[in-house]
Amino acid sequence: MSNADELKSSGLKATLPRIKILEVFQNTTQRHMTAEDVFKALLQEGADIGLATVYRVLMQFEQAGLLSRNHFESGKAVFELNEGKHHDHLVCVTCGRVEEFYDAEIEKRQHNVAHSRGFELQDHALALYAVCTKKNCEHKPSK
């Protein structure tokens, strides 16, 4: 399916800014991007798309289900492609690196906790905040 078709099937008109922003998410190795990250990537490509347009399109993509939004420790919203598979996040409080993971036991336990308290879990987001213990982490800020 082309990007234009993907946008149309999500109920969005295939405009150039929308196509370009979708391409940024599809072509980057950075899974979690802020609006500013997307804007910088567009500038590097020479695309003439303003920051306000980036914010507007990201909100439209989230509402259409193309992107998921998270708020990690930085307080800034980060977006990622919604690929339909649930996962949780490990966030390094030193360098900000985000690592995705899925653990069936954690998922099961969360459902059991909700059920035991009289709830039926509809959705959840789990972010574990930790310090990376890798000796030569390339993401840690230099001192």
Side-chain angles (χ1 to χ4, degrees):
M1 183 182 322
S2 74
N3 286 338
D5 290 337
E6 190 171 350
L7 289 169
K8 288 176 189 171
S9 71
S10 297
L12 296 170
K13 194 171 158 190
T15 64
L16 184 63
R18 287 179 182 151
I19 290 171
K20 287 290 195 191
I21 291 169
L22 184 57
E23 286 173 354
V24 166
F25 281 94
Q26 292 171 333
N27 299 331
T28 186
T29 57
Q30 187 180 345
R31 291 258 321 142
H32 303 90
M33 300 182 76
T34 64
E36 290 81 8
D37 294 333
V38 174
F39 179 67
K40 288 175 191 170
L42 291 167
L43 282 178
Q44 288 175 347
E45 290 178 11
D48 187 22
I49 299 171
L51 185 57
T53 300
V54 170
Y55 274 104
R56 188 171 52 256
V57 169
L58 292 177
M59 296 302 119
Q60 292 166 348
F61 281 6
E62 181 190 11
Q63 289 172 344
L66 292 171
L67 296 179
S68 297
R69 178 177 19 175
N70 289 289
H71 292 274
F72 297 128
E73 179 143 303
S74 70
K76 285 188 175 184
V78 292
F79 297 85
E80 63 183 306
L81 282 175
N82 180 358
E83 296 171 332
K85 296 180 202 156
H86 172 76
H87 59 268
D88 296 310
H89 299 93
L90 266 166
V91 182
C92 179
V93 296
T94 304
C95 68
R97 183 172 63 93
V98 178
E99 193 169 302
E100 298 173 355
F101 72 95
Y102 176 83
D103 185 297
E105 284 298 313
I106 289 175
E107 298 302 315
K108 182 179 173 185
R109 185 77 184 113
Q110 289 176 115
H111 282 276
N112 290 344
V113 167
H115 182 72
S116 71
R117 289 170 171 74
F119 290 88
E120 184 179 325
L121 199 59
Q122 300 296 306
D123 194 13
H124 76 277
L126 175 66
L128 302 174
Y129 296 92
V131 175
C132 174
T133 58
K134 295 176 183 169
K135 292 288 180 214
N136 296 314
C137 176
E138 67 272 13
H139 302 285
K140 285 187 182 172
S142 54
K143 294 179 182 178

